[in-house]
Amino acid sequence: MKLSKMHLKTLREVPNEAEISSHILLLRTGMIRKLVSGVYGFMPLGWRSIKKIENIIREEMDAKGGQEIHMSAVQPAELWEESGRWYAYGPELWRLKDRNGRDFCLGPTHEEIFTDIVRNDISSYRQLPMNLYQIQTKYRDEARPRFGLMRSREFIMKDAYSFDRDEAGLDVSYNEMYDAYDKIFARCGLKCRPVEADSGAIGGSNSHEFTAISEVGESEIAYCEKCNMAATTERAKCVDAPASNEEMQPMEDVLTPDTKTIEDVANFLGLEQSRTIKALLFVTYDNEGKENGYVAAFVRGDRELNMTKLINAFDIPEHAIEFADEAKMAAATGCVGGFTGPVGLHDCKLVVDSELVGLRNLVAGANRENYHTKNVNYGRDYEGHIVADLKVLKEGDSCPVCGAPVKHARGIEVGQVFKLGTKYSESMGATYKDENQKEQLIVMGCYGIGVTRTLAAVVEQHHDENGIIWPMSVAPYHVIITLINPDDEAQAKVADDLYKELSKAGVEVLLDDRKERPGVKFKDADLLGIPVRITVGKLAADGQVEYKLRRDADKEVLTAEEALSKAIAIVNEEK
Ligand SMILES: [Zn+2]
């Protein structure tokens, strides 16, 4: 492709709305274009890279026996009502009505559609196992779309669904997909860490997230360098502090004026924060969005409440619980903002972190203005309606597997695999007949890759202050020939010959034949991040060119023939 003919508009300035490198660089290179908040289109260079990522995914999915299909983004509400997710998915589900008032959504995922296909088409064990996938546009009505392709409302996703006879079959399918994902992300040039994850609104028992390590990622992961433990902090199990063998002391209310935070109370009483109980107050909602109860959650004072674990303990959707209005809750339950403790609360659900059960003589709010209670003990003084691990595993806490101190890192979730089990086949009636003509539920898994997010993650991991540094495999073009003076006959001829020879060898090559200053061309070449640059300038008269890799600082002067064979070799090796 000749750059003079290509639709390309690069930007010198950093667009206002963009904060992170991938967003800035994808806009500056003109690869993506914003339509409205969280909705982007792809221009020629951006679309080429997207197609490369898609093709890598296709090859690895097909290698595992996946069959590609393509379903509509528009999905009827009835299927989502059957699975129970029309309500459970909440406000992120992009809903719409047709002219007759019938409800639809723009699919954020396709479990219902694929389950519907197999319940209609699969009848016998002989048809299993099966893996169907698609690469398709998805929608999620994000409250705060941000970071460009990282959290957008429209995005391209590969979603695959496996259908097996039993759990053992699902294990095989799941491991195959896990293996395919390792290969896909490695081929895209991403450093990825698979971590145990929560299954969230998708459901199911077991899940791994593939996290591209990056400081700007929104996933926080905890990992252990001593053993293989790695999990999102939402999911990571915590080790309870050992039970105390202190004698239980009598409860005693003490005046603790103006001590609304755990830090205040601990300082005032001269105690470690780990000797206190922290209260967090919530309200829950029913299917119609009406308030249906209050929740008081308790963790040790120095711990942080893990919302995902709290939501899982209740088995309710994320949008069905939020922080309570303290004044309203006080009237109903007897809690007192800043001085809430578990003893004497009424008309609300007490959810207690498992660690508190074994600890003794802690300080908690007295449910009286300016008072706390000393020597509060689980079992004697209060009990929980639910007792569960509700804590966040913090950096330095003990690894739940081996006990060594855990580390934290941030990453971008580029893929996730789920063992769904029979969640959807049960609610939607997807069955097959076994050898004995007995009806059995189909056992499912589902496997997603954010294609557009993967593109952003690649840029996050591969750039410098001058622009993108594409890995060969997903670069929009392999080689850029920077022709310094298109009006110089010798230069034009060398550039043109190289262009033709490279193209003939199957190398994707851009020829910068624009009538621009050399400085502009070099800046654009660095910004666009094409892996190999061949500069054709004054030396062309002697048959020489300058050869440079975008990722290296060094350039070398070579004959045009040498540059040609060197470029072909590296492209074939790395593409
Ligand atoms: Zn460990």
Side-chain angles (χ1 to χ4, degrees), residues 304-344:
E304 233 171 87
L305 179 75
N306 182 322
M307 265 322 272
T308 303
K309 289 180 181 176
L310 179 70
I311 288 163
N312 288 343
F314 269 91
D315 196 19
I316 55 173
E318 199 180 325
H319 60 89
I321 183 165
E322 64 179 25
F323 282 109
D325 176 317
E326 282 185 0
K328 272 173 77 182
M329 182 164 170
T333 68
C335 71
V336 175
F339 299 92
T340 300
V343 183

mmCIF file of all heavy atoms in Angstrom, residues 304-344:
data_model
loop_
_atom_site.group_PDB
_atom_site.id
_atom_site.type_symbol
_atom_site.label_atom_id
_atom_site.label_comp_id
_atom_site.label_asym_id
_atom_site.label_seq_id
_atom_site.Cartn_x
_atom_site.Cartn_y
_atom_site.Cartn_z
ATOM 1 N N GLU A 304 -10.393 -5.447 54.862
ATOM 2 C CA GLU A 304 -11.262 -4.759 53.935
ATOM 3 C C GLU A 304 -12.345 -5.727 53.482
ATOM 4 O O GLU A 304 -12.052 -6.893 53.224
ATOM 5 C CB GLU A 304 -10.447 -4.363 52.707
ATOM 6 C CG GLU A 304 -10.533 -2.906 52.350
ATOM 7 C CD GLU A 304 -9.522 -2.611 51.271
ATOM 8 O OE1 GLU A 304 -9.880 -2.798 50.103
ATOM 9 O OE2 GLU A 304 -8.369 -2.252 51.607
ATOM 10 N N LEU A 305 -13.567 -5.221 53.384
ATOM 11 C CA LEU A 305 -14.659 -6.082 52.922
ATOM 12 C C LEU A 305 -14.509 -6.317 51.410
ATOM 13 O O LEU A 305 -14.248 -5.394 50.650
ATOM 14 C CB LEU A 305 -16.006 -5.412 53.206
ATOM 15 C CG LEU A 305 -17.218 -6.225 52.736
ATOM 16 C CD1 LEU A 305 -17.467 -7.409 53.665
ATOM 17 C CD2 LEU A 305 -18.462 -5.357 52.635
ATOM 18 N N ASN A 306 -14.698 -7.563 51.004
ATOM 19 C CA ASN A 306 -14.635 -7.949 49.596
ATOM 20 C C ASN A 306 -16.077 -8.029 49.072
ATOM 21 O O ASN A 306 -16.824 -8.936 49.426
ATOM 22 C CB ASN A 306 -13.939 -9.314 49.513
ATOM 23 C CG ASN A 306 -13.775 -9.798 48.102
ATOM 24 O OD1 ASN A 306 -14.645 -9.619 47.259
ATOM 25 N ND2 ASN A 306 -12.654 -10.454 47.849
ATOM 26 N N MET A 307 -16.466 -7.049 48.252
ATOM 27 C CA MET A 307 -17.863 -6.974 47.776
ATOM 28 C C MET A 307 -18.267 -8.217 46.996
ATOM 29 O O MET A 307 -19.399 -8.681 47.097
ATOM 30 C CB MET A 307 -18.043 -5.749 46.873
ATOM 31 C CG MET A 307 -18.569 -4.502 47.540
ATOM 32 S SD MET A 307 -19.819 -4.726 48.802
ATOM 33 C CE MET A 307 -21.330 -4.721 47.848
ATOM 34 N N THR A 308 -17.350 -8.743 46.190
ATOM 35 C CA THR A 308 -17.691 -9.925 45.393
ATOM 36 C C THR A 308 -18.035 -11.096 46.307
ATOM 37 O O THR A 308 -19.001 -11.822 46.070
ATOM 38 C CB THR A 308 -16.511 -10.293 44.474
ATOM 39 O OG1 THR A 308 -16.212 -9.153 43.679
ATOM 40 C CG2 THR A 308 -16.852 -11.454 43.573
ATOM 41 N N LYS A 309 -17.265 -11.257 47.363
ATOM 42 C CA LYS A 309 -17.543 -12.357 48.287
ATOM 43 C C LYS A 309 -18.872 -12.131 49.016
ATOM 44 O O LYS A 309 -19.609 -13.078 49.273
ATOM 45 C CB LYS A 309 -16.399 -12.507 49.292
ATOM 46 C CG LYS A 309 -15.119 -13.062 48.667
ATOM 47 C CD LYS A 309 -14.009 -13.197 49.701
ATOM 48 C CE LYS A 309 -12.724 -13.736 49.072
ATOM 49 N NZ LYS A 309 -11.621 -13.779 50.051
ATOM 50 N N LEU A 310 -19.162 -10.868 49.356
ATOM 51 C CA LEU A 310 -20.435 -10.570 50.026
ATOM 52 C C LEU A 310 -21.598 -10.908 49.092
ATOM 53 O O LEU A 310 -22.571 -11.561 49.486
ATOM 54 C CB LEU A 310 -20.485 -9.087 50.433
ATOM 55 C CG LEU A 310 -21.783 -8.654 51.131
ATOM 56 C CD1 LEU A 310 -21.879 -9.275 52.520
ATOM 57 C CD2 LEU A 310 -21.891 -7.142 51.230
ATOM 58 N N ILE A 311 -21.487 -10.476 47.828
ATOM 59 C CA ILE A 311 -22.542 -10.734 46.846
ATOM 60 C C ILE A 311 -22.723 -12.241 46.646
ATOM 61 O O ILE A 311 -23.840 -12.755 46.598
ATOM 62 C CB ILE A 311 -22.194 -10.031 45.517
ATOM 63 C CG1 ILE A 311 -22.373 -8.515 45.686
ATOM 64 C CG2 ILE A 311 -23.037 -10.559 44.373
ATOM 65 C CD1 ILE A 311 -21.688 -7.696 44.617
ATOM 66 N N ASN A 312 -21.609 -12.962 46.584
ATOM 67 C CA ASN A 312 -21.697 -14.418 46.412
ATOM 68 C C ASN A 312 -22.329 -15.085 47.633
ATOM 69 O O ASN A 312 -23.076 -16.051 47.498
ATOM 70 C CB ASN A 312 -20.322 -15.019 46.137
ATOM 71 C CG ASN A 312 -19.826 -14.668 44.741
ATOM 72 O OD1 ASN A 312 -20.615 -14.257 43.889
ATOM 73 N ND2 ASN A 312 -18.536 -14.814 44.507
ATOM 74 N N ALA A 313 -22.034 -14.552 48.828
ATOM 75 C CA ALA A 313 -22.604 -15.135 50.044
ATOM 76 C C ALA A 313 -24.124 -15.008 50.023
ATOM 77 O O ALA A 313 -24.842 -15.861 50.522
ATOM 78 C CB ALA A 313 -22.030 -14.455 51.277
ATOM 79 N N PHE A 314 -24.611 -13.925 49.429
ATOM 80 C CA PHE A 314 -26.055 -13.706 49.338
ATOM 81 C C PHE A 314 -26.667 -14.348 48.110
ATOM 82 O O PHE A 314 -27.873 -14.477 48.011
ATOM 83 C CB PHE A 314 -26.357 -12.199 49.306
ATOM 84 C CG PHE A 314 -26.587 -11.629 50.658
ATOM 85 C CD1 PHE A 314 -25.546 -11.100 51.389
ATOM 86 C CD2 PHE A 314 -27.856 -11.657 51.217
ATOM 87 C CE1 PHE A 314 -25.758 -10.592 52.645
ATOM 88 C CE2 PHE A 314 -28.078 -11.152 52.472
ATOM 89 C CZ PHE A 314 -27.026 -10.616 53.201
ATOM 90 N N ASP A 315 -25.825 -14.671 47.130
ATOM 91 C CA ASP A 315 -26.298 -15.216 45.873
ATOM 92 C C ASP A 315 -27.321 -14.288 45.216
ATOM 93 O O ASP A 315 -28.407 -14.702 44.815
ATOM 94 C CB ASP A 315 -26.900 -16.619 46.109
ATOM 95 C CG ASP A 315 -27.033 -17.376 44.788
ATOM 96 O OD1 ASP A 315 -26.365 -16.980 43.829
ATOM 97 O OD2 ASP A 315 -27.826 -18.335 44.736
ATOM 98 N N ILE A 316 -26.959 -13.007 45.142
ATOM 99 C CA ILE A 316 -27.834 -12.049 44.454
ATOM 100 C C ILE A 316 -26.999 -11.323 43.406
ATOM 101 O O ILE A 316 -25.777 -11.322 43.486
ATOM 102 C CB ILE A 316 -28.438 -10.997 45.421
ATOM 103 C CG1 ILE A 316 -27.324 -10.276 46.210
ATOM 104 C CG2 ILE A 316 -29.442 -11.631 46.354
ATOM 105 C CD1 ILE A 316 -27.834 -9.128 47.044
ATOM 106 N N PRO A 317 -27.662 -10.709 42.412
ATOM 107 C CA PRO A 317 -26.893 -9.969 41.415
ATOM 108 C C PRO A 317 -26.225 -8.738 42.030
ATOM 109 O O PRO A 317 -26.696 -8.194 43.020
ATOM 110 C CB PRO A 317 -27.935 -9.541 40.381
ATOM 111 C CG PRO A 317 -29.195 -10.233 40.729
ATOM 112 C CD PRO A 317 -29.108 -10.697 42.135
ATOM 113 N N GLU A 318 -25.160 -8.329 41.394
ATOM 114 C CA GLU A 318 -24.365 -7.194 41.845
ATOM 115 C C GLU A 318 -25.202 -5.916 42.013
ATOM 116 O O GLU A 318 -24.972 -5.121 42.920
ATOM 117 C CB GLU A 318 -23.295 -6.969 40.776
ATOM 118 C CG GLU A 318 -22.113 -6.171 41.201
ATOM 119 C CD GLU A 318 -21.124 -6.029 40.040
ATOM 120 O OE1 GLU A 318 -20.984 -6.978 39.236
ATOM 121 O OE2 GLU A 318 -20.517 -4.948 39.937
ATOM 122 N N HIS A 319 -26.180 -5.733 41.110
ATOM 123 C CA HIS A 319 -26.939 -4.477 41.143
ATOM 124 C C HIS A 319 -28.062 -4.515 42.174
ATOM 125 O O HIS A 319 -28.801 -3.557 42.316
ATOM 126 C CB HIS A 319 -27.497 -4.160 39.753
ATOM 127 C CG HIS A 319 -28.415 -5.209 39.220
ATOM 128 N ND1 HIS A 319 -29.757 -5.198 39.446
ATOM 129 C CD2 HIS A 319 -28.162 -6.331 38.490
ATOM 130 C CE1 HIS A 319 -30.316 -6.256 38.868
ATOM 131 N NE2 HIS A 319 -29.359 -6.965 38.281
ATOM 132 N N ALA A 320 -28.220 -5.654 42.898
ATOM 133 C CA ALA A 320 -29.320 -5.769 43.857
ATOM 134 C C ALA A 320 -28.877 -5.436 45.280
ATOM 135 O O ALA A 320 -29.595 -5.696 46.242
ATOM 136 C CB ALA A 320 -29.920 -7.170 43.798
ATOM 137 N N ILE A 321 -27.673 -4.868 45.428
ATOM 138 C CA ILE A 321 -27.201 -4.486 46.765
ATOM 139 C C ILE A 321 -26.389 -3.202 46.652
ATOM 140 O O ILE A 321 -25.635 -3.027 45.682
ATOM 141 C CB ILE A 321 -26.373 -5.634 47.407
ATOM 142 C CG1 ILE A 321 -25.939 -5.284 48.836
ATOM 143 C CG2 ILE A 321 -25.164 -6.002 46.548
ATOM 144 C CD1 ILE A 321 -25.445 -6.490 49.634
ATOM 145 N N GLU A 322 -26.601 -2.292 47.589
ATOM 146 C CA GLU A 322 -25.753 -1.085 47.624
ATOM 147 C C GLU A 322 -25.675 -0.551 49.049
ATOM 148 O O GLU A 322 -26.419 -1.001 49.924
ATOM 149 C CB GLU A 322 -26.261 -0.025 46.643
ATOM 150 C CG GLU A 322 -27.635 0.506 46.960
ATOM 151 C CD GLU A 322 -28.089 1.572 45.961
ATOM 152 O OE1 GLU A 322 -27.606 1.582 44.820
ATOM 153 O OE2 GLU A 322 -28.932 2.400 46.354
ATOM 154 N N PHE A 323 -24.789 0.412 49.261
ATOM 155 C CA PHE A 323 -24.652 0.974 50.604
ATOM 156 C C PHE A 323 -25.981 1.566 51.048
ATOM 157 O O PHE A 323 -26.685 2.197 50.269
ATOM 158 C CB PHE A 323 -23.551 2.051 50.644
ATOM 159 C CG PHE A 323 -22.174 1.460 50.681
ATOM 160 C CD1 PHE A 323 -21.334 1.551 49.578
ATOM 161 C CD2 PHE A 323 -21.718 0.795 51.813
ATOM 162 C CE1 PHE A 323 -20.062 0.996 49.603
ATOM 163 C CE2 PHE A 323 -20.455 0.232 51.853
ATOM 164 C CZ PHE A 323 -19.630 0.330 50.745
ATOM 165 N N ALA A 324 -26.306 1.358 52.333
ATOM 166 C CA ALA A 324 -27.589 1.823 52.857
ATOM 167 C C ALA A 324 -27.522 3.295 53.226
ATOM 168 O O ALA A 324 -26.462 3.825 53.532
ATOM 169 C CB ALA A 324 -27.961 0.999 54.084
ATOM 170 N N ASP A 325 -28.682 3.919 53.188
ATOM 171 C CA ASP A 325 -28.841 5.245 53.764
ATOM 172 C C ASP A 325 -28.863 5.047 55.285
ATOM 173 O O ASP A 325 -29.766 4.417 55.828
ATOM 174 C CB ASP A 325 -30.171 5.815 53.255
ATOM 175 C CG ASP A 325 -30.507 7.160 53.866
ATOM 176 O OD1 ASP A 325 -30.327 7.345 55.105
ATOM 177 O OD2 ASP A 325 -30.962 8.018 53.115
ATOM 178 N N GLU A 326 -27.842 5.560 55.962
ATOM 179 C CA GLU A 326 -27.664 5.234 57.387
ATOM 180 C C GLU A 326 -28.833 5.696 58.250
ATOM 181 O O GLU A 326 -29.229 5.002 59.187
ATOM 182 C CB GLU A 326 -26.355 5.832 57.916
ATOM 183 C CG GLU A 326 -25.151 5.006 57.505
ATOM 184 C CD GLU A 326 -23.850 5.510 58.115
ATOM 185 O OE1 GLU A 326 -23.866 6.512 58.863
ATOM 186 O OE2 GLU A 326 -22.811 4.888 57.836
ATOM 187 N N ALA A 327 -29.387 6.864 57.935
ATOM 188 C CA ALA A 327 -30.487 7.387 58.756
ATOM 189 C C ALA A 327 -31.700 6.466 58.638
ATOM 190 O O ALA A 327 -32.319 6.084 59.647
ATOM 191 C CB ALA A 327 -30.840 8.799 58.315
ATOM 192 N N LYS A 328 -32.016 6.069 57.388
ATOM 193 C CA LYS A 328 -33.172 5.186 57.185
ATOM 194 C C LYS A 328 -32.941 3.826 57.843
ATOM 195 O O LYS A 328 -33.829 3.263 58.464
ATOM 196 C CB LYS A 328 -33.416 4.994 55.680
ATOM 197 C CG LYS A 328 -34.323 6.073 55.092
ATOM 198 C CD LYS A 328 -34.401 5.952 53.573
ATOM 199 C CE LYS A 328 -35.318 4.795 53.144
ATOM 200 N NZ LYS A 328 -35.323 4.684 51.655
ATOM 201 N N MET A 329 -31.707 3.339 57.687
ATOM 202 C CA MET A 329 -31.417 2.025 58.252
ATOM 203 C C MET A 329 -31.438 2.078 59.778
ATOM 204 O O MET A 329 -31.856 1.126 60.436
ATOM 205 C CB MET A 329 -30.070 1.523 57.734
ATOM 206 C CG MET A 329 -29.729 0.131 58.249
ATOM 207 S SD MET A 329 -28.411 -0.650 57.306
ATOM 208 C CE MET A 329 -28.074 -2.093 58.346
ATOM 209 N N ALA A 330 -30.991 3.205 60.342
ATOM 210 C CA ALA A 330 -30.975 3.347 61.794
ATOM 211 C C ALA A 330 -32.384 3.210 62.360
ATOM 212 O O ALA A 330 -32.610 2.505 63.346
ATOM 213 C CB ALA A 330 -30.379 4.701 62.171
ATOM 214 N N ALA A 331 -33.343 3.855 61.707
ATOM 215 C CA ALA A 331 -34.725 3.817 62.186
ATOM 216 C C ALA A 331 -35.257 2.387 62.170
ATOM 217 O O ALA A 331 -36.009 1.981 63.060
ATOM 218 C CB ALA A 331 -35.595 4.716 61.309
ATOM 219 N N ALA A 332 -34.843 1.601 61.186
ATOM 220 C CA ALA A 332 -35.386 0.250 61.037
ATOM 221 C C ALA A 332 -34.654 -0.795 61.873
ATOM 222 O O ALA A 332 -35.252 -1.782 62.301
ATOM 223 C CB ALA A 332 -35.351 -0.149 59.561
ATOM 224 N N THR A 333 -33.357 -0.594 62.111
ATOM 225 C CA THR A 333 -32.559 -1.697 62.678
ATOM 226 C C THR A 333 -31.854 -1.366 63.994
ATOM 227 O O THR A 333 -31.287 -2.255 64.628
ATOM 228 C CB THR A 333 -31.456 -2.115 61.685
ATOM 229 O OG1 THR A 333 -30.513 -1.039 61.587
ATOM 230 C CG2 THR A 333 -32.020 -2.439 60.313
ATOM 231 N N GLY A 334 -31.834 -0.094 64.378
ATOM 232 C CA GLY A 334 -31.145 0.276 65.611
ATOM 233 C C GLY A 334 -29.659 0.534 65.432
ATOM 234 O O GLY A 334 -28.938 0.737 66.413
ATOM 235 N N CYS A 335 -29.170 0.545 64.201
ATOM 236 C CA CYS A 335 -27.752 0.858 64.003
ATOM 237 C C CYS A 335 -27.525 2.352 64.201
ATOM 238 O O CYS A 335 -28.473 3.139 64.135
ATOM 239 C CB CYS A 335 -27.278 0.426 62.619
ATOM 240 S SG CYS A 335 -27.921 1.438 61.273
ATOM 241 N N VAL A 336 -26.293 2.740 64.487
ATOM 242 C CA VAL A 336 -25.964 4.156 64.651
ATOM 243 C C VAL A 336 -24.722 4.440 63.809
ATOM 244 O O VAL A 336 -23.664 3.842 64.058
ATOM 245 C CB VAL A 336 -25.691 4.498 66.136
ATOM 246 C CG1 VAL A 336 -25.225 5.950 66.277
ATOM 247 C CG2 VAL A 336 -26.937 4.271 66.981
ATOM 248 N N GLY A 337 -24.866 5.301 62.822
ATOM 249 C CA GLY A 337 -23.769 5.583 61.889
ATOM 250 C C GLY A 337 -22.468 5.860 62.628
ATOM 251 O O GLY A 337 -22.422 6.710 63.504
ATOM 252 N N GLY A 338 -21.411 5.112 62.299
ATOM 253 C CA GLY A 338 -20.116 5.317 62.941
ATOM 254 C C GLY A 338 -19.974 4.558 64.253
ATOM 255 O O GLY A 338 -18.875 4.407 64.766
ATOM 256 N N PHE A 339 -21.083 4.095 64.798
ATOM 257 C CA PHE A 339 -21.021 3.376 66.085
ATOM 258 C C PHE A 339 -21.826 2.069 66.005
ATOM 259 O O PHE A 339 -22.429 1.641 66.975
ATOM 260 C CB PHE A 339 -21.543 4.266 67.218
ATOM 261 C CG PHE A 339 -20.728 5.517 67.387
ATOM 262 C CD1 PHE A 339 -21.076 6.689 66.723
ATOM 263 C CD2 PHE A 339 -19.578 5.515 68.171
ATOM 264 C CE1 PHE A 339 -20.313 7.829 66.840
ATOM 265 C CE2 PHE A 339 -18.805 6.666 68.295
ATOM 266 C CZ PHE A 339 -19.170 7.832 67.629
ATOM 267 N N THR A 340 -21.835 1.484 64.815
ATOM 268 C CA THR A 340 -22.625 0.259 64.636
ATOM 269 C C THR A 340 -21.805 -0.968 65.015
ATOM 270 O O THR A 340 -20.643 -1.103 64.616
ATOM 271 C CB THR A 340 -23.095 0.141 63.171
ATOM 272 O OG1 THR A 340 -23.898 1.275 62.863
ATOM 273 C CG2 THR A 340 -23.899 -1.136 62.960
ATOM 274 N N GLY A 341 -22.417 -1.852 65.792
ATOM 275 C CA GLY A 341 -21.812 -3.132 66.145
ATOM 276 C C GLY A 341 -22.838 -4.234 65.974
ATOM 277 O O GLY A 341 -24.021 -3.951 65.728
ATOM 278 N N PRO A 342 -22.410 -5.473 66.101
ATOM 279 C CA PRO A 342 -23.334 -6.586 65.856
ATOM 280 C C PRO A 342 -24.314 -6.867 66.988
ATOM 281 O O PRO A 342 -25.306 -7.545 66.782
ATOM 282 C CB PRO A 342 -22.386 -7.775 65.649
ATOM 283 C CG PRO A 342 -21.157 -7.427 66.420
ATOM 284 C CD PRO A 342 -21.028 -5.933 66.364
ATOM 285 N N VAL A 343 -24.019 -6.343 68.191
ATOM 286 C CA VAL A 343 -24.849 -6.717 69.346
ATOM 287 C C VAL A 343 -26.078 -5.814 69.422
ATOM 288 O O VAL A 343 -25.941 -4.597 69.503
ATOM 289 C CB VAL A 343 -24.044 -6.608 70.663
ATOM 290 C CG1 VAL A 343 -24.896 -7.074 71.848
ATOM 291 C CG2 VAL A 343 -22.756 -7.405 70.565
ATOM 292 N N GLY A 344 -27.254 -6.434 69.360
ATOM 293 C CA GLY A 344 -28.492 -5.670 69.532
ATOM 294 C C GLY A 344 -29.102 -5.133 68.245
ATOM 295 O O GLY A 344 -30.114 -4.462 68.294
#
